[in-house]
Amino acid sequence: MTASDHGALMDDVYRYQRHIYDASRKFYLLGRDRLIDALNPSDDMHILEIGCGTGRNLIQTAAAYPNVHLYGVDISHAMLDTANQQITRAGLKAHVQLAQADARDFDPGSLFGQSRFDRVFFSFSLSMIPEWQRALQHGLRLTQDTGSLHVVDFGQQERLPKWAKTCLGVWLRWFHVHPDPRLIDSIESEASLDHRPVQVQSLYRDYTWLIEISAKQDA
């Protein structure tokens, strides 16, 4: 799928949903705040969210770490409109930079004047990105050698009741969300090529995977 096609699809999906997105998703996008806690940046660090949606995570990150620089990209113009509105209402316009971009291939230097970041994170976005492996590889390229990349996304729900797993699968497909069982293996493979350790947590009976790719071992 081309970037323009995917952007148009996401605009269609979220043209109206974006107005209730944060209120509804808090019940099943579990683990986002644990990812934000794990960022644990020092002051003046640069943090990028790939697939920032409504800006909810960037606002929460700014509240937790007021002395960092925040950036967000998303392919959906509709979602970015909402993110801009919410970030402005939160009084964070001067602290958060947003841009429209394809997660699989974008130049943050031309968008933000910042080529690499101390923290990069994906929050329930890899499972929505065609060729998500490319987005993951690109995210690693944008991570400082001394920095870390963080992922929270749907697991495979292996320990949930069968009816719950089935219902969740139907709901996610409705919104073009496709959790991939290869996610952890792909992350560990990419991280090993970059000489980075990986920590994986399975949360809520394998409902969510929380993953951290740490700094290079020789950094």
Side-chain angles (χ1 to χ4, degrees):
M1 183 180 292
T2 66
S4 59
D5 288 343
H6 187 228
L9 175 62
M10 292 298 98
D11 282 342
D12 286 342
V13 169
Y14 291 114
R15 180 164 288 112
Y16 303 109
Q17 277 285 319
R18 63 194 170 109
H19 300 298
I20 61 169
Y21 186 92
D22 290 334
S24 61
R25 267 55 177 187
K26 68 181 180 180
F27 298 109
Y28 71 92
L29 296 187
L30 307 178
R32 294 179 295 174
D33 291 340
R34 292 183 67 160
L35 181 150
I36 292 170
D37 289 343
L39 295 176
N40 194 29
S42 301
D43 287 354
D44 211 36
M45 281 188 170
H46 298 264
I47 301 175
L48 169 69
E49 180 176 14
I50 300 178
C52 64
T54 63
R56 181 265 184 197
N57 294 326
L58 292 170
I59 292 170
Q60 294 294 111
T61 303
Y65 312 110
N67 298 314
V68 300
H69 309 278
L70 293 167
Y71 310 84
V73 297
D74 202 281
I75 202 165
S76 167
H77 291 287
M79 285 297 240
L80 285 172
D81 284 345
T82 295
N84 270 305
Q85 293 169 20
Q86 296 195 155
I87 286 167
T88 299
R89 280 199 298 269
L92 296 170
K93 192 66 176 174
H95 302 285
V96 182
Q97 295 186 53
L98 300 175
Q100 192 275 338
D102 181 351
R104 299 169 295 186
D105 183 17
F106 65 94
D107 177 11
S110 63
L111 296 176
F112 304 124
Q114 181 73 24
S115 60
R116 300 184 79 191
F117 302 85
D118 302 289
R119 303 286 185 270
V120 175
F121 69 95
F122 296 87
S123 174
F124 292 96
S125 55
L126 281 176
S127 54
M128 299 191 70
I129 298 172
E131 298 178 292
W132 59 266
Q133 293 96 332
R134 283 182 56 199
L136 173 64
Q137 291 164 356
H138 191 49
L140 268 175
R141 285 194 295 270
L142 301 183
T143 304
Q144 296 276 14
D145 291 351
T146 54
S148 56
L149 184 146
H150 302 253
V151 176
V152 63
D153 217 315
F154 294 104
Q156 292 299 297
Q157 299 87 45
E158 297 292 347
R159 293 185 290 143
L160 290 182
K162 185 176 180 179
W163 65 266
K165 181 178 179 178
T166 299
C167 290
L168 178 64
V170 171
W171 174 259
L172 295 180
R173 287 191 294 274
W174 191 24
F175 291 102
H176 301 275
V177 180
H178 302 283
D180 196 318
R182 301 170 297 173
L183 178 63
I184 292 175
D185 287 345
S186 292
I187 285 177
E188 290 179 338
S189 176
E190 293 297 334
S192 67
L193 293 174
D194 211 28
H195 306 290
R196 294 176 181 267
V198 178
Q199 297 82 43
V200 178
Q201 295 183 60
S202 174
L203 306 177
Y204 316 112
R205 302 180 70 181
D206 203 39
Y207 181 91
T208 299
W209 286 335
L210 184 63
I211 305 165
E212 178 178 339
I213 302 176
S214 302
K216 285 189 176 183
Q217 292 179 318
D218 56 354

